[in-house]
């Protein structure tokens, strides 16, 4: 997540044969470029569904792990500077609704006990206060009105001006306590992100570079976009995903069907892509052009119909994403893969390493 970890209560515990503890030293605290790496210099854990083997690679080796006729489906949503900080609170703008209101989360800002080289502290825990009809003064003379709770954590709210332009001036990228300082918005964008709208980065696409994309295409690997605008994470709460806006274009639906008919693999770049494609898939697995809102949750019980593989980050214990990974990889392979990732020192979160499940 990636930072976008959403729990699903006790269900997620069944996604792996055993739960695990994530040591703090395996949390990626900064972009790989700050660690002296290129974007595509992160590590790539490979879980082969056919052989059951787990391998270790550099992400830059991805073209050699795919073949002609394979199709990577990517999320072209761009990341917004979706956090607006007040004195003690941060407002995280999550999801725009059709009526112009937004879902927002209020979070406390952690207090620093020492120097703050990266500027203000990241958001800490969710703020339980707020009341229906309350007005919050924001920077630049803006006001945000809380209209009512949408979930125990999220408010439906209305800003007194256009939100995207306001965020461009007063917002910063959302970050949580495991990231020690602010980083520019460019560090939260992917090479595919041409349609701004995500509260948090669709981070599975972050390690791609234009050079790597060129190598993939030269090898005969197709690349097709969907759009799914991600909402805010819930690092602390066991909550299922809430509805998110998505679009699967007609051209992408055709490319998916062509890959399937020709024997190629359809590999989703990120859990957001799986969610979009599986929402657009018919019972037969055929993907049709589709757009709207999705509440679809992939579990081992629902299975997957449209995708053959997944390229994703490493996800926290009890994350509902582990249900999706288990549906694709199987519980045993997923459990062994995560055990190896922990043993080999892979890094978690949006600036961390990547996991390919294919076969």
């Amino acid at each position: 997540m990636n930072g976008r970890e959403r729990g699903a209560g006790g269900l997620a515990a069944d996604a792996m044969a055993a739960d695990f503890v994530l040591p703090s030293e395996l949390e990626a605290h900064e972009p790989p470029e700050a660690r002296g790496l290129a974007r595509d210099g992160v590590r790539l854990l490979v879980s082969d569904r056919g052989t059951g083997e787990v391998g270790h690679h550099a992400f830059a080796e991805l073209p050699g792990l795919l073949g002609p006729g394979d199709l990577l489906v990517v999320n072209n949503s761009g990341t917004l500077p979706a956090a607006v900080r007040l004195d003690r609170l941060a407002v995280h703008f999550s999801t725009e609704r059709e009526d112009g209101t937004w879902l927002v989360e209020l979070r406390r800002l952690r207090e620093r006990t020492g120097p703050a080289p990266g500027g203000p502290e990241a958001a800490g825990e969710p703020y339980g206060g707020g009341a229906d009809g309350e007005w919050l003064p924001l920077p630049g003379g803006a006001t945000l009105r809380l209209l009512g709770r949408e979930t125990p954590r999220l408010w439906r709210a209305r800003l007194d001006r256009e939100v995207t332009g306001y965020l461009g001036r007063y917002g910063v990228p959302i970050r949580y306590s495991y990231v020690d300082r602010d980083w520019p918005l460019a560090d939260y964008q992917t090479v595919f992100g041409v349609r701004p709208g995500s509260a948090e980065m669709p981070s599975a696409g972050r390690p791609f570079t234009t050079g790597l994309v060129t190598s993939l295409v030269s090898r005969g690997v197709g690349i097709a976009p969907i759009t799914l605008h991600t909402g805010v994470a819930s690092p602390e709460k066991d909550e299922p995903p809430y509805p998110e806006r998505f679009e699967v274009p007609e051209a992408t639906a055709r490319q998916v069907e062509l890959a399937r008919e020709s024997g190629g693999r359809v590999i989703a770049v990120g859990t957001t892509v799986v969610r979009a494609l599986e929402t657009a898939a018919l019972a037969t697995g055929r993907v049709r052009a589709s757009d709207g809102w999705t509440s679809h949750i992939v579990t081992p019980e629902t299975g997957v119909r449209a995708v053959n593989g997944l390229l994703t980050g490493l996800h926290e214990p009890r994350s509902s994403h582990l249900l999706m990974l288990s549906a694709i990889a199987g519980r045993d392979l997923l459990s062994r893969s995560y055990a190896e990732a922990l043993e080999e020192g892979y890094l978690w979160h949006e600036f961390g390493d990547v996991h390919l499940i294919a076969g």
Side-chain angles (χ1 to χ4, degrees), residues 97-112:
R97 310 300 294 271
E98 288 99 333
D99 62 0
T101 62
W102 280 69
L103 298 186
V104 304
E105 181 185 24
L106 306 181
R107 295 181 70 96
R108 297 181 187 274
L109 292 177
R110 284 198 325 176
E111 294 185 6
R112 281 195 185 269

Side-chain angles (χ1 to χ4, degrees), residues 13 29 38 68 78 81 110 114 157 163 170 210-212 236 265 281 289 319 326 347:
H29 301 300
R110 284 198 325 176
V163 171
Y170 295 101
T210 54
L212 187 65
E236 309 83 7
R265 295 173 294 180
S319 162
S326 184
L347 296 182

Side-chain angles (χ1 to χ4, degrees), residues 325-345:
L325 270 62
S326 184
I328 297 171
R331 289 181 174 89
D332 178 66
L333 179 57
L334 181 63
S335 182
R336 288 189 290 108
S337 298
Y338 268 60
E340 290 213 22
L342 291 165
E343 183 178 351
E344 296 294 327

